[in-house]
Amino acid sequence: MTAAAKGANYSTTQAGDFLSGRRVSEPAFVAALLRITVLDPRQRRALQADADRLLHAARNPQERREEHGGDSTLAGQLERVRAQQVETYERLTRALEQQADLQEAARNSAQLVMVLLSMINTLADRVRSLSTERDGLAGRAGDRRELEHTQRRLARALDQERRAKEELDRAREKQRQAEDLAARVQRRVDELTDELNRLRADEATAPDDAVPPPPGVTTSADPVGDDIDQALARATTVNDTDEETLRRITDELQDTAEGEAPRGVLALEDGRPAVVPDIQDNVPTNPSISELDARHEHAYNLGEAGEYRTAVELFAELIAASTRILGPDHPDTLDARHGHAVNLGKADDHRQAVQLLAALIADSTRALGSDHPDTLTARHNHAFHLGEAGDRREAARLLAEVATDRTRALGPNHPNTLTARHNHAANLGEAGDRREAARLFAELTTDRTRILGPSHPDTLTTRHEHAYNLGKAGDRREAALLLAELTTDRTRILGPNHPATLTTRHNHAFNLGRAGERREAAQLFAELIADRTRILGPNHPATLTTRHNHAFNLGEAGDHHEAAQLLAEVATDRTRILGPEHPNTLTTHRRQAHFARLASDPPPAR
């Protein structure tokens, strides 16, 4: 009560009156209560719409009396509505249990996929190593026994690789089945939720002289919260899922499809649902809220998969539909606008993204409030894309404000607060304040280690940024030391072939060379060339960069002739892959010419 009162600027006495029902709640108080009690944004938006409708009914009782008149049969109608509520709630609870089962099945399969991928990668390395060893022994006489031993190990590794791939296919198929079933169950949950909301609306619009609840049924200041608690209590009993779970749920869904035909629900302009007849096949209708959610999810997943331009087009269409059906200030409409802008930024149209997000911030602040998580997210991403567009100094200033506001609204340990602090420091470093950025990253490393753990990928990323900015600030030897430690940890946690591990190895060698250890840096770059060529391919820009830095450090170590030869090869490949005018191509040409001149100069007289 105290938290809700503070969040909406009411006294605790007023909050007590609202919660007890002595006074009809104010909209601001209800919004604050939802922010505090409902963590999931999508669920909160659905409940906000329900709350707005109920508030309207409570604040306009005369409308309800006129609508229902004095019909003496309303008591019986209300009893029937409540009975339908109980039945619908039981069906909804069952659907939520199925949803929890399927989420667990998908999660288990996803974890198994990751384990098997790592195993297959390890086995592939082992097969390559044993094949090389076998080929070497086959060419030498007198090593017959050792050759046979290596061949047996190779055969076993190949069989293990085959079995691992078979299990990977099974795990992926289970994951696909769980995801397909989850989509069906989600549609079922949406239908039952809409029906339950309609039944609650029917009960809420009963006249003041309606019959009291049946014996044993108590009223609540937060019935939806009670529903969630009961559903969560039942969900905690769900066991780990397996193939039998998927078959069972498939059978149950088939039974439901054959035995039930839920009534359709459409939203009226005033927000109250109205029952409509079941829609026949091939009859065009306006998209339902669940259909809009499905379209949003599809566009979002396309963006996550890297199809940014397609996601932008789908979000643009969704904005138009959501604005028409839900209204321009509805949270789902604002969410679609956010997805549209963010994917534009990911497609490298940062300036356009900045403009759209600036407009969204104004509308989100007006419709949801300045401390709403969606408003804070829009502010964060506006500043982020501003930095990506080149205005690093202004981006850093805005991200500092977001970090402060998120600390106040979400708490200092919230992941979003930590992310804002990370991006503030990153933009500060890119703006030239490397020393201050390194200091902020050092503080954030301590906090992320405490909150997320030392092995969390975000903790490792912050450690990398701390070392990177230290190096940029001139502390090359300290940066190399930190990056060497981070290389060990990332290899252990993420694996030797992870892109982040390779990046850390590259930056470790780079800072070591800048610290004066040119010969050792060249050796590390030579090892990294082999790994990046194997993992990323010979034409990858990162592979080319590593080849450039290997040759450069060789030249700085005194091997001018070899450096010039290697850089000439890199220049040829960069011209072919990146183009002759690319900045990296031009840099390689300059370095090659420099070391070629040094190689041709006569040695100094003794």
Side-chain angles (χ1 to χ4, degrees), residues 43-313:
Q43 185 180 22
R44 186 166 59 245
R45 290 195 294 270
L47 293 177
Q48 181 68 64
D50 192 29
D52 291 343
R53 174 176 46 75
L54 294 173
L55 273 176
H56 176 80
R59 296 171 71 84
N60 298 275
Q62 185 62 33
E63 291 182 10
R64 294 185 300 169
R65 294 191 187 93
E66 293 172 354
E67 179 181 347
H68 288 272
D71 190 347
S72 60
T73 64
L74 284 172
Q77 293 176 8
L78 183 59
E79 288 301 319
R80 287 193 294 275
V81 167
R82 285 175 175 155
Q84 291 173 358
Q85 275 187 314
V86 172
E87 178 188 356
T88 302
Y89 173 74
E90 288 297 328
R91 286 153 52 198
L92 176 60
T93 302
R94 181 62 191 144
L96 290 171
E97 287 178 348
Q98 293 172 339
Q99 194 174 53
D101 285 343
L102 290 168
Q103 287 172 348
E104 184 68 20
R107 185 161 50 248
N108 289 342
S109 296
Q111 292 172 348
L112 184 57
V113 166
M114 294 302 296
V115 170
L116 288 168
L117 284 172
S118 177
M119 183 185 300
I120 289 170
N121 184 63
T122 300
L123 285 168
D125 289 343
R126 179 170 172 76
V127 166
R128 279 192 293 269
S129 175
L130 289 171
S131 297
T132 301
E133 183 178 343
R134 177 203 59 190
D135 294 342
L137 291 170
R140 299 201 300 268
D143 289 330
R144 181 71 180 177
R145 181 175 300 177
E146 185 65 24
L147 175 60
E148 291 176 351
H149 178 62
T150 300
Q151 287 175 329
R152 285 195 299 271
R153 288 188 296 159
L154 176 59
R156 183 182 183 188
L158 288 168
D159 182 63
Q160 290 171 333
E161 185 179 35
R162 176 188 59 78
R163 287 157 50 200
K165 289 179 178 179
E166 290 176 354
E167 292 299 324
L168 176 63
D169 290 340
R170 289 185 59 201
R172 282 174 167 163
E173 177 61 20
K174 279 183 60 180
Q175 185 178 13
R176 185 196 63 77
Q177 292 175 2
E179 290 171 350
D180 289 345
L181 287 173
R184 293 176 59 187
V185 171
Q186 183 60 56
R187 290 194 293 271
R188 183 75 177 136
V189 168
D190 291 340
E191 292 169 357
L192 291 171
T193 301
D194 289 344
E195 184 172 352
L196 191 58
N197 288 337
R198 178 190 61 76
L199 292 170
R200 285 180 176 145
D202 289 348
E203 182 181 25
T205 55
D208 293 341
D209 59 352
V211 296
V217 179
T218 59
T219 58
S220 168
D222 185 12
V224 177
D226 295 343
D227 292 347
I228 295 170
D229 283 340
Q230 292 179 49
L232 289 174
R234 298 187 66 177
T236 56
T237 63
V238 177
N239 294 321
D240 290 343
T241 57
D242 53 14
E243 291 180 359
E244 181 60 33
T245 299
L246 299 179
R247 286 196 296 269
R248 171 177 57 79
I249 294 176
T250 300
D251 294 341
E252 290 173 353
L253 289 175
Q254 184 64 30
D255 292 341
T256 299
E258 294 174 356
E260 291 181 323
R263 287 177 292 176
V265 175
L266 293 180
L268 300 178
E269 290 184 356
D270 62 358
R272 292 180 295 173
V275 180
V276 297
D278 290 337
I279 298 171
Q280 301 299 316
D281 291 340
N282 301 322
V283 177
T285 64
N286 285 329
S288 67
I289 293 176
S290 61
E291 289 172 324
L292 294 177
D293 284 344
R295 289 169 62 181
H296 187 285
E297 194 73 16
H298 177 53
Y300 174 83
N301 288 331
L302 278 174
E304 289 295 295
E307 301 289 341
Y308 305 129
R309 287 295 175 188
T310 305
V312 166
E313 294 174 1

Side-chain angles (χ1 to χ4, degrees), residues 22-39:
R22 288 189 293 270
R23 293 175 54 192
V24 176
S25 296
E26 297 288 342
F29 178 79
V30 174
L33 189 63
L34 286 172
R35 284 198 301 271
I36 294 166
T37 57
V38 184
L39 299 181

Side-chain angles (χ1 to χ4, degrees), residues 391-430:
D391 199 346
R392 296 290 185 180
R393 183 72 59 185
E394 178 65 9
R397 185 187 69 79
L398 294 175
L399 285 164
E401 296 176 355
V402 173
T404 299
D405 291 342
R406 276 183 166 172
T407 300
R408 173 177 49 78
L410 305 178
N413 296 341
H414 194 283
N416 289 354
T417 304
L418 301 178
T419 298
R421 289 174 57 191
H422 180 99
N423 287 335
H424 165 234
N427 277 276
L428 205 60
E430 292 299 308

